[in-house]
Amino acid sequence: MVGTLGAIASSPPCCYGYRSGGICRSIRLMKSSLLRSTLATSLLAIGIVHAETEYWKFVDPRIGTVGPGNVVIGPCVPYGMIKPSPTTSKWSNTGYSADPARPLIGFRQVHVSGTGGGAKYGNISVLPFSGPTDVLDQSSLRENEEVSLGYYAVDLAKWQIKTEITASPKVAFYRFTFNGEGNRSLKIEAGEALNLSDVFPKRESQFFVGSEIEIVSDHEVRGYNRIRGGWNSGGPYTIYFHAVFDQPFEFLTWRGQRFYPGENVQVDNGEKNGATLTFAPGGDRTVQMKFGISYLSSAKARQNIQTEIPHWDFPRVLAENRQRWETLLSRIEIAADATEAQKRMFYTGLYHTMLMPVDRTGENPLWKSDQPYYDDFYCLWDTYRTSHPLITLIDPPRQVDIVNALLDVYRYEGYLPDARSGNANGRTQGGSNGDVLIADAYVKGLKGIDYAFAFESMLKNADVPPGGNEEQEGRGGLPDYNTLGYVSTRYPRSVSRTVDYAYNDFCIALVAKGLGRTEDFERFAKQSDNWKNLWRADVTDQGTTGFVWPKTPAGEWENFVTATVPERLGEKVPYTATYENNGKVEDWWSGFLYEGKAWDYSLSIPHDVAGLIEKAGGPEAFKARLDTFFDKRIYYVGNEPAFITPNLYHWIGRPDLSSDRIRQIVERSYKDTPRGIPGNDDSGAMSSWLVFRMLGLYPNAGQSYYLISSPLLAESTLHLAEGKTLRIVARGLSAENKYIASAKLNGAPFDQSWIEHADLVKGGVLEFEMAARPATWGTATPPPSLRF
């Protein structure tokens, strides 16, 4: 294995081919994802498509838009830069509420999806109206909302205007149908963004820096929007725009609250500005607008329009949008007799996985490079576990581009980001999880990555304290970690950082061994045990003994949380295994653990579950621990550290119990409804978790295998690289027959409860015989632990 991986480091890019519906697509990996996108578009144009089932029809963009999911509802293409979407609130993460009593105040062009915390983006608002043009409030209640993949439509009840939207990668295409008798007008607010604050610094708020708008002709408007801050507390970013209309207009510009008739330019002077456009009487009642954006210039935004949508054919743009999705969605076909709910949940989950990060190749304002550029990693702590392994499985060239984009950030800015948005690194929630993406790509044999250079970036994370703002990049608390063997309580998130860093070190050791770096391997293999330095064996909670626990620099256990919120400042609150920072005692970012309890993190040791079982008192005690965790509802799928936990029964020879827990979690927590995602979707992390669970596979990210549990679908077909196809068949699957009695891989008995990536991507048939009672399948050979 080491020799094979070592060869990968210096091998040339390979060809990735896909076979779907009997048609082979072979697309060569290219350095520029923009060039690859152009090739894909050409293939679509000549009709090389998956012809039988239209999988895009199963996608419901409304899933996750109500409740904590925070999924953007508007249209976009896979990894698209522009995401136009309706705004009903300036203070939510997406700006959207499904409540029809909330007036619509505009449509904004750039959004993230599924995120929590403070908002980011929500830039540049447009709104059609038919009332007075010398006022700034044209909000209206909504009627007849229509949502499908690549398409959003709604009627503005006050004005009797129907707005329809679709999108290409960098251009939003709007169609406004004015059904009332009044004037036909449109407002463009150049200075708008979500969660804007007037007080700096207000943590996680965005701040207006500047905007500009210019009427170029009676058909065109251009300008820019400059904002700073947001969830990642990033520096200023600028979104340039160019809008072109299919009908002539008259205009009225404004700045602040004052209108300036006849002035075609409002320059950047520190006040928000915009323009009101009124289309000539007697024209077509349907007005179309193409709204291009760029991070380089308004001229580049105009060029993006000319390149992507040089015509005025709305249905054509919508069809191309859907075909882009179809090309990727059809990489996994599920059984035709799956329920409609299962189809919607599965394909919407795939869709959510590919909304972020954002492909901004050719749109990097910071440096010139021949490498891909991706932004809005929001963040790897969330997505490394399931989203990126899913992309690796169905679109490996894309994952190669993503890893190379991260490495290019390291090349020019000095650190591999764990989170990045608006051209700025931050916030790092836990570990340096770019390390996991590199290791995952390495052990799964992805070519086209300079692994020697990637290893250099991993060493930088492990050896050089980031200094200054330790939420920006690198490893906060590194001086403690590299001297004490743990992050002490003098640093925020000391326990979760220690647990995360130990896994990051395991990933570094994997790559070091493959590259023949013996000393580095020995160092990081040893450091992967550092989680044990925080294992406290004398704490018992609900009959369970032993938990990871905060420790002072002097090596003493900490038993109290010191309140940091103003109303309780300095108060000592007892720390327990079920304590979770909810913002009522301490700042969200200053607890011992991030988004989890000691219970969660004491089960989050994905590289050494065997060592964890030993610490926990052996298999029987470990089973009792897991049973308590789930039966007492301590478990919460909405936070990523617990993503793998339902599978931990595998390591004690009880994959049947893992399957029970997974089915229970899915049935309780996921639905094909607007409230169908149990927590923030976290850039598709929650959705990709569901996709894997429905397939019956789960990646242990950074390692080369998948855990197998009972599929929730009777059959799935994965179209893999090099024209390979893998069928997963669960024979006799039903509500009663929910356990794997036996398995075969390509006709040969397969008794492991885990499968190597290399075996999976060879293709063939993985078939299960299902039964109503647990059998001995998968009990003999546990999944790997500490396998380098």
Side-chain angles (χ1 to χ4, degrees):
M1 188 66 173
V2 174
T4 301
L5 293 175
I8 290 170
S10 58
S11 62
C14 69
C15 288
Y16 295 92
Y18 296 93
R19 183 173 299 277
S20 182
I23 300 173
C24 180
R25 297 191 295 270
S26 183
I27 301 176
R28 184 178 181 271
L29 173 64
M30 302 174 184
K31 284 187 175 182
S32 167
S33 64
L34 182 63
L35 184 56
R36 194 185 67 246
S37 176
T38 302
L39 176 59
T41 302
S42 300
L43 292 175
L44 298 180
I46 62 175
I48 301 180
V49 298
H50 182 69
E52 297 175 3
T53 302
E54 292 181 299
Y55 294 96
W56 68 262
K57 291 183 177 179
F58 299 128
V59 174
D60 185 352
R62 293 170 298 182
I63 294 175
T65 59
V66 175
N70 288 346
V71 174
V72 67
I73 197 170
C76 70
V77 301
Y79 314 99
M81 199 167 84
I82 197 164
K83 293 180 174 66
S85 196
T87 305
T88 61
S89 170
K90 294 182 178 183
W91 314 112
S92 72
N93 283 68
T94 63
Y96 176 77
S97 169
D99 182 357
R102 300 288 295 272
L104 193 148
I105 59 178
F107 301 93
R108 302 185 184 212
Q109 315 314 310
V110 184
H111 295 84
V112 289
S113 184
T115 59
K120 189 80 176 184
Y121 298 134
N123 311 83
I124 316 164
S125 179
V126 302
L127 183 67
F129 67 98
S130 294
T133 59
D134 58 351
V135 297
L136 292 179
D137 181 6
Q138 287 89 13
S139 59
S140 170
L141 294 178
R142 293 164 285 162
E143 294 178 339
N144 305 319
E145 193 171 53
E146 300 176 56
V147 185
S148 60
L149 187 145
Y151 179 77
Y152 177 88
V154 70
D155 290 341
L156 303 182
K158 182 177 181 180
W159 309 116
Q160 299 180 56
I161 301 171
K162 181 174 185 176
T163 297
E164 300 169 274
I165 320 173
T166 189
S168 64
K170 304 178 186 71
V171 183
F173 198 145
Y174 287 82
R175 187 162 62 181
F176 309 108
T177 301
F178 293 80
N179 295 308
E181 296 300 322
N183 54 295
R184 299 174 303 132
S185 299
L186 180 86
K187 176 178 65 175
I188 301 178
E189 297 178 272
E192 281 301 313
L194 291 171
N195 197 27
L196 287 175
S197 175
D198 295 328
V199 180
F200 182 83
K202 184 177 180 182
R203 200 168 173 99
E204 299 195 12
S205 289
Q206 295 198 109
F207 300 90
F208 173 78
V209 178
S211 64
E212 189 163 292
I213 194 162
E214 179 183 5
I215 310 300
V216 181
S217 72
D218 64 355
H219 282 76
E220 294 176 280
V221 180
R222 67 187 176 198
Y224 64 76
N225 167 283
R226 184 169 293 135
I227 304 292
R228 66 178 300 175
W231 180 80
N232 67 329
S233 300
Y237 64 91
T238 303
I239 296 177
Y240 298 89
F241 66 89
H242 191 100
V244 58
F245 299 84
D246 67 346
Q247 296 184 39
F249 57 77
E250 296 180 347
F251 66 88
L252 183 68
T253 62
W254 48 269
R255 183 174 67 244
Q257 297 296 313
R258 184 177 176 184
F259 290 86
Y260 295 86
E263 292 191 16
N264 72 314
V265 178
Q266 293 299 329
V267 298
D268 186 346
N269 74 338
E271 289 185 281
K272 295 179 186 177
N273 50 37
T276 298
L277 315 178
T278 300
F279 301 93
D284 192 327
R285 301 305 292 178
T286 297
V287 176
Q288 297 189 115
M289 174 181 73
K290 294 182 288 191
F291 197 103
I293 64 167
S294 172
Y295 287 82
L296 300 180
S297 67
S298 57
K300 183 63 165 60
R302 183 175 185 270
Q303 184 184 73
N304 289 338
I305 295 174
Q306 294 170 329
T307 300
E308 296 182 1
I309 313 179
H311 53 80
W312 288 103
D313 190 339
F314 186 97
R316 176 180 166 186
V317 177
L318 176 57
E320 290 171 347
N321 178 299
R322 287 172 171 168
Q323 188 53 59
R324 286 176 183 271
W325 283 108
E326 186 70 11
T327 300
L328 293 171
L329 296 172
S330 63
R331 300 271 169 87
I332 306 180
E333 303 175 62
I334 65 174
D337 62 356
T339 68
E340 290 301 302
Q342 286 177 322
K343 292 174 183 176
R344 285 192 291 269
M345 291 164 66
F346 186 87
Y347 286 104
T348 305
L350 268 182
Y351 165 78
H352 288 159
T353 303
M354 295 180 279
L355 295 177
M356 292 170 67
V358 170
D359 186 352
R360 282 181 35 201
T361 302
E363 289 283 346
N364 181 358
L366 303 180
W367 63 82
K368 291 183 179 180
S369 172
D370 61 357
Q371 294 298 306
Y373 182 66
Y374 281 70
D375 206 320
D376 299 326
F377 295 93
Y378 212 141
C379 63
L380 300 184
W381 185 90
D382 296 302
T383 58
Y384 83 77
R385 295 168 171 89
T386 52
S387 295
H388 290 286
L390 185 54
I391 295 169
T392 294
L393 200 55
I394 66 172
D395 192 7
R398 177 76 63 172
Q399 186 62 19
V400 169
D401 278 359
I402 288 171
V403 173
N404 280 330
L406 289 167
L407 291 173
D408 212 40
V409 174
Y410 164 71
R411 179 179 288 110
Y412 286 94
E413 294 194 352
Y415 273 98
L416 196 68
D418 189 70
R420 186 175 179 86
S421 190
N423 306 310
N425 289 351
R427 286 182 150 161
T428 298
Q429 298 179 162
S432 51
N433 293 304
D435 302 336
V436 186
L437 262 66
I438 292 168
D440 198 68
Y442 191 74
V443 299
K444 291 175 181 174
L446 295 190
K447 299 179 182 179
I449 297 169
D450 183 342
Y451 287 104
F453 180 68
F455 188 74
E456 177 187 308
S457 74
M458 300 167 95
L459 288 180
K460 176 73 174 287
N461 285 334
D463 287 335
V464 182
N469 176 11
E470 292 200 334
E471 292 168 7
Q472 184 176 355
E473 56 203 0
R475 296 188 183 185
L478 188 61
D480 269 11
Y481 185 79
N482 282 347
T483 56
L484 302 175
Y486 63 92
V487 180
S488 80
T489 53
R490 67 178 141 207
Y491 292 97
R493 308 185 300 287
S494 60
V495 178
S496 53
R497 277 172 158 168
T498 299
V499 171
D500 285 353
Y501 295 171
Y503 188 55
N504 299 152
D505 286 344
F506 171 82
C507 292
I508 297 174
L510 276 178
V511 180
K513 185 172 184 180
L515 295 178
R517 310 218 11 176
T518 304
E519 289 185 10
D520 290 320
F521 165 73
E522 291 174 351
R523 171 193 165 188
F524 289 105
K526 181 178 180 181
Q527 287 183 192
S528 71
D529 276 342
N530 278 352
W531 63 275
K532 295 178 181 179
N533 296 331
L534 292 186
W535 188 269
R536 186 172 182 181
D538 63 347
V539 172
T540 298
D541 185 81
Q542 302 182 69
T544 297
T545 300
F547 294 91
V548 288
W549 207 260
K551 187 183 283 188
T552 69
E556 299 172 346
W557 299 116
E558 178 59 75
N559 295 312
F560 294 92
V561 175
T562 302
T564 59
V565 297
E567 58 271 23
R568 301 180 68 174
L569 191 63
E571 181 181 341
K572 296 289 186 180
V573 177
Y575 182 73
T576 67
T578 54
Y579 175 88
E580 185 170 14
N581 183 6
N582 60 10
K584 295 180 180 179
V585 175
E586 46 190 338
D587 173 82
W588 286 105
W589 292 83
S590 62
F592 299 135
L593 296 163
Y594 184 77
E595 288 194 3
K597 302 173 284 291
W599 269 94
D600 299 305
Y601 279 95
S602 300
L603 291 165
S604 186
I605 314 296
H607 59 297
D608 188 14
V609 180
L612 174 61
I613 292 170
E614 181 181 352
K615 280 287 186 183
E620 287 303 315
F622 193 67
K623 178 182 178 299
R625 174 187 288 259
L626 290 173
D627 289 345
T628 299
F629 188 55
F630 292 107
D631 292 341
K632 296 289 184 69
R633 299 286 188 97
I634 304 170
Y635 176 83
Y636 172 51
V637 69
N639 282 334
E640 284 76 8
F643 266 19
I644 197 174
T645 311
N647 282 106
L648 297 187
Y649 290 101
H650 276 56
W651 276 266
I652 57 172
R654 295 299 305 272
D656 58 302
L657 295 180
S658 295
S659 295
D660 280 342
R661 297 302 185 186
I662 291 163
R663 182 179 294 268
Q664 182 184 70
I665 293 161
V666 171
E667 290 177 350
R668 285 178 179 173
S669 303
Y670 287 87
K671 300 288 185 293
D672 66 325
T673 66
R675 200 180 286 273
I677 297 178
N680 300 148
D681 194 42
D682 288 333
S683 307
M686 297 291 151
S687 292
S688 51
W689 185 94
L690 175 66
V691 169
F692 273 119
R693 296 312 190 181
M694 295 180 78
L695 292 173
L697 302 172
Y698 187 81
N700 197 349
Q703 302 180 64
S704 62
Y705 64 89
Y706 303 79
L707 299 157
I708 299 173
S709 57
S710 297
L712 303 183
L713 300 165
E715 185 170 346
S716 307
T717 301
L718 283 68
H719 300 287
L720 304 170
E722 299 177 356
K724 303 293 178 60
T725 296
L726 175 73
R727 289 177 61 222
I728 302 173
V729 182
R731 304 192 188 282
L733 176 68
S734 67
E736 293 76 29
N737 294 337
K738 59 183 181 180
Y739 299 107
I740 299 173
S742 64
K744 292 181 180 179
L745 179 61
N746 297 327
F750 189 83
D751 197 41
Q752 288 182 177
S753 62
W754 49 283
I755 184 170
E756 288 289 345
H757 178 81
D759 292 328
L760 187 152
V761 298
K762 289 176 184 175
V765 181
L766 177 61
E767 53 188 319
F768 305 108
E769 293 293 334
M770 307 303 293
R773 288 185 173 81
T776 59
W777 175 84
T779 61
T781 306
S785 284
L786 279 185
R787 185 185 65 176
F788 295 102

